[in-house]
Amino acid sequence: MASHMQTLTQKASRLIALALFPDTCLGCRRHVSERGVLCAECWNGMHFVAEPLCAITGEPFQHDFGGNMVSAAAIANPPAYRRARAAVLHTGVARQLAQRLKYGDQGELAPWMARWMVRAAGAMMSESDVVVPVPLHWRRYLLRRYNQSAELGRAVAQQAGLDFAPEALLRVKPTRRQVGLSAAERRRNVRGAFRVPPEKEIAVRGRRVLVVDDVLTTGSTIDAAAKALLRAGASSIDILAFSRVVPHFVARR
């Protein structure tokens, strides 16, 4: 009897949810067959990051030269993290989703975006112990009311069955927005910006940390975050983001 009532309750909840939040495209909100998918037009506007790409930074290459390729930037300035991956290019529909999550207070997008991130992560998921999101400075958090990277990180951790430590990393320096800064200015901007509180070191010490962010640009922010986590005793750092900015890249179809 109890299980029957539970089934009826679940069906009723589903009907109410469908009435209040009909199954619409994540991108344009047209009607689709099921929740959490894109319509054909928006799907064609998504550009998923795929091989060939840099084995370290995850930056996609325009041409496949064979072998385990590493970008010139990663060779010239090896990052503190082990690998970085992103699900999609930061353009078109993906850019709209990222902006709606970040500025539109639409946290309900995070679980659907996280599905693509988990797929893009590949072996990184099984080689990680704990998920740590890139934090906001407390002043910006008060303005935004929530951290979009934490929403993505929570969803990734739940889907992958990993521990989630949203307070393991703090942003202790109120950095400028990175948009419009040169690569050198970005590095200076985030230098010393992150710290692991002593009471939170247990969450990362000796563990393989997966750092989650919403958008990757030059990599300065995630590199600074990785260095702070390594100083706190993390054994390795991998990076996972929803989208990646790649100027002048021509997406393949």
Side-chain angles (χ1 to χ4, degrees):
M1 182 66 178
S3 61
H4 178 65
M5 289 300 296
Q6 185 178 14
T7 301
L8 290 176
T9 301
Q10 290 172 345
K11 288 182 178 179
S13 299
R14 171 64 176 164
L15 290 173
I16 293 172
L18 286 173
L20 295 175
F21 308 103
D23 295 335
T24 56
C25 170
L26 292 178
C28 65
R29 299 191 176 95
R30 291 191 185 100
H31 180 74
V32 289
S33 60
E34 61 181 292
R35 188 173 304 179
V37 300
L38 297 169
C39 68
E41 184 175 339
C42 287
W43 181 261
N44 287 331
M46 291 283 282
H47 302 285
F48 291 88
V49 178
E51 299 282 355
L53 46 78
C54 173
I56 297 175
T57 67
E59 179 182 354
F61 293 126
Q62 198 70 64
H63 303 287
D64 190 350
F65 300 101
N68 197 27
M69 297 181 292
V70 175
S71 66
I75 294 173
N77 295 291
Y81 57 83
R82 184 170 53 170
R83 295 165 296 187
R85 296 293 183 267
V88 293
L89 296 181
H90 191 68
T91 184
V93 176
R95 184 171 181 269
Q96 293 172 22
L97 291 174
Q99 290 183 333
R100 283 165 54 194
L101 176 67
K102 188 172 185 175
Y103 302 114
D105 198 22
Q106 296 185 28
E108 68 275 6
L109 291 172
W112 309 110
M113 296 163 71
R115 289 193 306 176
W116 292 319
M117 295 168 65
V118 169
R119 290 174 189 157
M124 292 198 314
M125 300 311 305
S126 61
E127 297 173 6
S128 298
D129 300 312
V130 59
V131 174
V132 174
V134 172
L136 294 175
H137 188 265
W138 65 268
R139 292 177 186 170
R140 189 164 294 174
Y141 184 86
L142 288 178
L143 293 174
R144 293 253 185 94
R145 295 182 296 169
Y146 81 120
N147 177 7
Q148 71 281 353
S149 296
E151 296 303 309
L152 290 171
R154 181 178 293 105
V156 166
Q158 288 175 344
Q159 294 176 25
L162 298 174
D163 289 345
F164 181 52
E167 298 177 353
L169 188 65
L170 296 179
R171 190 185 291 250
V172 295
K173 174 182 169 184
T175 55
R176 298 163 54 194
R177 290 189 63 190
Q178 297 277 66
V179 177
L181 300 181
S182 67
E185 289 172 333
R186 285 172 183 263
R187 288 193 293 270
R188 287 195 296 270
N189 188 40
V190 296
R191 187 176 297 142
F194 300 101
R195 179 173 62 86
V196 176
E199 67 274 14
K200 298 296 183 181
E201 287 185 2
I202 191 173
V204 300
R205 184 173 297 279
R207 307 184 80 189
R208 301 168 298 180
V209 178
L210 181 66
V211 175
V212 168
D213 205 359
D214 57 338
V215 182
L216 296 184
T217 49
T218 63
S220 300
T221 298
I222 56 173
D223 198 48
K227 289 175 180 176
L229 289 162
L230 289 171
R231 285 195 298 269
S235 63
S236 65
I237 309 294
D238 283 326
I239 310 294
L240 180 61
F242 170 66
S243 61
R244 182 181 195 100
V245 177
V246 185
H248 313 302
F249 183 83
V250 179
R252 296 175 294 276
R253 283 295 184 190

